[in-house]
Amino acid sequence: MASTMTSLAHIKPSAYVSRAPSTRLAATSPSGVISSRPLGSRTSFLSQKSQFMGLKSAQSSPLSFSSRRNSLVCASWRGDGPSSVKDRVVAALPYLLPLFDGLRYGKFLFIQFPAFAAVLSPFEPLINIYFSVPFASLAAFFAVYLGIINSPNFGRYVRFNAMQAVLLDIILILPGLLESVFKFRPMGGPGLQLYISGYNTIFIFIFACVAYGVGSCLAGTNARLPIVADAADAQIR
């Protein structure tokens, strides 16, 4: 008993983290292994054992954190990825709908940066047809909604991207509605600069979303666009 008390007297108090005089928690070495320390009660011993088992299971797990995260992301999609090149192309096509409807907001940007308009030059024939045929935008909208989103012939991946494109196109109604209601068309001064900045911001946002969505579809990855991704996820089962 005397020898035990003598050995305990040489132990540094800093090696322990104590919450009560009767309880001492085990210290952890830099290698992650819990060192052996006298404990005041059976409860402390059980907590030390559970901590050791937790560290052991975490160290022996074959999956890293990033692998587990990717597995959870894939599981959330229930394996409904693009099965063919056809699925990727069909999933990317609906994004042309918000792109074409958003061109009106890029009129100032095209004047300021003519080279930016050259990026859209390959779509010029489709744009001319889209705006020259009566009710072409309405027909394209219902074609995407009824022919892709509500069609059982396409997987969830295709329908989800089509739903994102449709919701993105619906969002474009709001700026035009506000402009029509408030008749906000300044002719000069700071109001005009604010008007131009608003138009440019809307178009850049739509263009970035469309570019990201189309690029992700062609690459076969999942594109979750801001604002509309959660709503589209809730609509597609």
Side-chain angles (χ1 to χ4, degrees), residues 17-35:
V17 178
S18 59
R19 296 185 181 272
S22 60
T23 305
R24 291 179 178 176
L25 300 180
T28 305
S29 65
S31 60
V33 180
I34 298 177
S35 60

Side-chain angles (χ1 to χ4, degrees), residues 20-175:
S22 60
T23 305
R24 291 179 178 176
L25 300 180
T28 305
S29 65
S31 60
V33 180
I34 298 177
S35 60
S36 176
R37 292 290 187 269
L39 298 173
S41 64
R42 181 175 177 81
T43 305
S44 301
F45 172 77
L46 292 177
S47 64
Q48 182 191 23
K49 183 177 180 180
S50 4
Q51 184 182 3
F52 174 77
M53 295 300 294
L55 288 173
K56 184 177 180 181
S57 60
Q59 292 174 355
S60 61
S61 174
L63 294 176
S64 62
F65 175 76
S66 59
S67 301
R68 285 191 296 240
R69 181 183 61 185
N70 294 335
S71 300
L72 291 174
V73 171
C74 294
S76 66
W77 280 83
R78 299 189 293 272
D80 294 331
S83 58
S84 63
V85 177
K86 176 186 175 182
D87 287 344
R88 299 183 184 183
V89 175
V90 174
L93 285 178
Y95 287 108
L96 295 179
L97 188 63
L99 177 63
F100 291 169
D101 287 336
L103 287 176
R104 62 186 293 260
Y105 296 104
K107 59 183 181 180
F108 298 113
L109 192 66
F110 297 150
I111 296 175
Q112 294 172 336
F113 305 98
F116 197 88
V119 178
L120 301 175
S121 58
F123 300 102
E124 187 174 357
L126 291 176
I127 293 174
N128 293 333
I129 296 174
Y130 188 80
F131 289 103
S132 60
V133 176
F135 304 106
S137 60
L138 188 63
F141 180 88
F142 281 104
V144 172
Y145 188 80
L146 299 176
I148 298 179
I149 296 176
N150 289 340
S151 175
N153 298 325
F154 297 105
R156 188 181 190 277
Y157 180 84
V158 176
R159 293 184 291 115
F160 172 79
N161 282 280
M163 192 67 194
Q164 282 196 133
V166 166
L167 292 176
L168 201 61
D169 191 56
I170 292 175
I171 289 177
L172 288 174
I173 299 176
L174 183 60

